[in-house]
Amino acid sequence: MLENIKKSGERYGSNVIEQRRSNSDAISDTWHDPPMASLLIEEAEVVGIESRREKLINWLVEGPSNRMVISTVGIGGLGKTTLVKKLYENDKVTAHFDCHAWITVSKSYKMEELLRNMIKQLYKAKKQSIPVEIDTMEQATLMEQIRLYLHEHRYVVVFDDVGKKEFWDYIELALPKNEKGNRILITSRNKDVAPSNYLYKLPILPLEKAWVLFCKKVFQREGGLCPPELVKLSCAVVERCEGFPLAIVAKGGLLSTKDKVIDVWLKFHNSLSSELKNNPDLQDISKILSLSYHDLSYNLKVCLLYFGMFPKDYYINCARLIRLWIAEGFVKEMQGITLEEVAQGYLNQLIHRSLVQVNVVVSIGRTRSCCIHDMMLEVILSRSEELGFHWSQCRTTQILIELPDVSQFRTM
């Protein structure tokens, strides 16, 4: 019986992901620098980041003289870039450092171009002439040029949207430890991309802050005040955003163009799922959330897609989830460790990449229950549909899902 179950897992598992990569994979792989990110930065003041910004400023301009790495992590759409941009441009920060550079690390970055860009920004910050020879320098020479230049200065460098640990392992060699109080800021969806002196996991906006941001975006002509007749529907839209600034700004921007009429807003609310798929003004949300999915290995992809079999607002028992993954054949055997340990590693990776949210932690490295954000679930379901990934076909699920304590509903 178990052998048949494992074969079923292979049929609907990572082999499906590998063999049936749809055209949307290719489209997503070439999609970078979403306009919605710029939209967030251009907000006059993103609600809810004030206290966070002050905390990070203190980490930057105070503290020890050794070089420090400060990482801001969280799932796409939380406002990591927005927060760090406000920090980077703060007068107190710019006055404290001799030179600075902001480097966006796209998925398809070319190291030589990135290093040249960094040199140009560092020289420009000091109002110095940029060496013309950098255009013909090779990668190793560019690295040495940066290292020698920074050795004499107190610097702050931002690496935005770092996706791979290999990037940090290489670029670190160009960043000297000269005991001048240098600071390196990293934003990432994965907390494991760099060893950090300070790790700031960006939380979702609390409901009251989300409401303020929504009203600020939608009701500009009304002075940020929601008309009484639209309060109930507005609250429903804000709750569906679940604290994601990107979703609030995107949906709010779209609603700001619509008539302030109950019928129009009710229709929008009732069609939110289809709007996310089909409305060009909202597709950036799904694209940003999908970036984390596309960075996963095939085994992690299929484990993430498996969350699509659970209903919305479910807390999932992690021990039972791991057993389900193993029984479905999603977990690769590794010499010297058990399948349960491999599967626990998979779950930890999904958590570290901010794709899975922790509910209860029982010990270090062990999570008792977890869940998926509703907006991420929409991406998972859409992706599963594109791949023909139908969980009703998984016999293991049908066998085990009725066992006690598989999951429990979240308290709303």
Side-chain angles (χ1 to χ4, degrees):
M1 183 67 174
L2 282 177
E3 188 62 31
N4 290 336
I5 288 171
K6 287 190 176 182
K7 287 180 180 178
S8 171
E10 290 177 0
R11 187 165 67 252
Y12 299 108
S14 58
N15 290 341
V16 174
I17 302 287
E18 187 164 4
Q19 293 168 6
R20 301 185 61 183
R21 294 185 77 187
S22 66
N23 290 335
S24 61
D25 265 345
I27 294 171
S28 298
D29 286 346
T30 59
W31 182 85
H32 310 294
D33 193 24
M36 195 55 63
S38 299
L39 175 61
L40 275 172
I41 291 172
E42 290 169 3
E43 289 293 302
E45 184 65 44
V46 176
V47 174
I49 71 170
E50 297 86 356
S51 60
R52 308 169 194 173
R53 183 179 57 193
E54 292 306 313
K55 182 178 182 180
L56 288 168
I57 286 174
N58 289 335
W59 287 352
L60 278 172
V61 302
E62 299 175 5
S65 61
N66 59 297
R67 190 192 74 182
M68 294 177 61
V69 179
I70 302 170
S71 295
T72 301
V73 301
I75 195 169
L78 281 182
K80 301 181 295 296
T81 299
T82 306
L83 171 60
V84 175
K85 189 76 169 177
K86 296 286 184 182
L87 175 69
Y88 179 75
E89 295 175 345
N90 182 272
D91 291 340
K92 188 176 180 181
V93 172
T94 55
H96 182 75
F97 293 96
D98 299 331
C99 56
H100 51 82
W102 178 288
I103 306 299
T104 299
V105 187
S106 68
K107 189 174 180 180
S108 60
Y109 73 89
K110 294 181 179 179
M111 184 57 75
E112 285 190 5
E113 292 180 4
L114 187 148
L115 294 172
R116 288 191 184 97
N117 181 25
M118 188 171 171
I119 291 173
K120 290 176 181 178
Q121 290 193 44
L122 292 171
Y123 273 83
K124 186 176 180 181
K126 292 283 291 178
K127 297 182 179 179
Q128 297 173 333
S129 299
I130 300 169
V132 293
E133 57 269 25
I134 67 169
D135 291 331
T136 57
M137 284 182 182
E138 295 182 351
Q139 191 167 301
T141 309
L142 291 168
M143 290 276 287
E144 182 66 10
Q145 178 85 11
I146 293 172
R147 193 184 67 79
L148 291 173
Y149 184 82
L150 290 180
H151 187 73
E152 303 300 325
H153 298 100
R154 179 195 292 154
Y155 62 86
V156 58
V157 179
V158 176
F159 296 109
D160 184 36
D161 201 19
V162 177
K164 302 289 185 182
K165 184 178 182 298
E166 292 77 11
F167 172 81
W168 170 252
D169 291 340
Y170 186 81
I171 200 69
E172 182 190 17
L173 301 175
L175 305 170
K177 301 176 181 179
N178 58 11
E179 301 300 320
K180 293 181 179 290
N182 305 312
R183 300 293 184 260
I184 300 155
L185 291 168
I186 291 174
T187 72
S188 179
R189 297 182 296 278
N190 184 356
K191 76 174 189 178
D192 294 329
V193 296
S196 304
N197 300 96
Y198 291 108
L199 179 69
Y200 184 67
K201 192 167 185 179
L202 197 62
I204 62 173
L205 283 179
L207 190 58
E208 62 272 15
K209 295 288 188 180
W211 174 255
V212 171
L213 179 58
F214 177 81
C215 290
K216 178 181 177 181
K217 187 67 183 175
V218 181
F219 304 112
Q220 296 179 19
R221 294 180 181 178
E222 294 79 8
L225 299 176
C226 177
E229 67 274 14
L230 293 177
V231 167
K232 187 175 181 179
L233 279 170
S234 296
C235 286
V237 172
V238 172
E239 287 174 0
R240 289 282 295 275
C241 294
E242 294 197 352
F244 268 61
L246 175 68
I248 295 166
V249 170
K251 293 177 183 179
L254 186 56
L255 278 172
S256 68
T257 66
K258 296 183 179 294
D259 294 334
K260 306 296 190 294
V261 180
I262 291 178
D263 289 346
V264 173
W265 281 47
L266 184 61
K267 182 179 179 181
F268 176 83
H269 175 263
N270 292 339
S271 62
L272 266 180
S273 294
S274 61
E275 289 277 353
L276 282 171
K277 282 185 182 181
N278 303 318
N279 192 312
D281 294 321
L282 297 182
Q283 285 179 355
D284 281 329
I285 299 174
S286 295
K287 288 178 180 178
I288 288 176
L289 292 176
S290 294
L291 289 176
S292 295
Y293 166 84
H294 290 294
D295 282 339
L296 298 176
S297 66
Y298 291 127
N299 290 82
L300 289 180
K301 281 180 180 177
V302 74
C303 288
L304 180 64
L305 292 178
Y306 194 74
F307 281 91
M309 60 159 278
F310 296 102
K312 291 175 64 175
D313 302 324
Y314 240 59
Y315 278 135
I316 305 161
N317 181 282
C318 294
R320 191 68 65 189
L321 176 66
I322 284 172
R323 289 177 59 188
L324 287 165
W325 282 350
I326 293 171
E328 295 289 3
F330 300 157
V331 182
K332 292 178 65 176
E333 293 185 2
M334 296 182 67
Q335 188 173 0
I337 59 176
T338 66
L339 286 175
E340 287 77 9
E341 290 171 329
V342 176
Q344 181 66 55
Y346 288 179
L347 181 58
N348 290 343
Q349 286 189 60
L350 294 176
I351 291 170
H352 290 171
R353 291 169 181 267
S354 305
L355 292 169
V356 173
Q357 297 175 304
V358 174
N359 178 29
V360 178
V361 178
V362 292
S363 63
I364 296 175
R366 292 283 179 177
T367 304
R368 182 175 180 180
S369 62
C370 61
C371 61
I372 287 284
H373 192 285
D374 284 353
M375 295 196 67
M376 193 67 216
L377 182 59
E378 294 283 354
V379 172
I380 289 171
L381 293 174
S382 174
R383 194 70 189 150
S384 296
E385 183 180 345
E386 291 173 12
L387 291 166
F389 213 70
H390 303 300
W391 292 117
S392 60
Q393 297 170 325
C394 291
R395 294 197 294 167
T396 308
T397 297
Q398 296 172 355
I399 295 168
L400 297 182
I401 193 65
E402 295 181 0
L403 291 176
D405 297 325
V406 172
S407 55
Q408 59 185 9
F409 282 104
R410 287 155 59 181
T411 303
M412 297 301 289

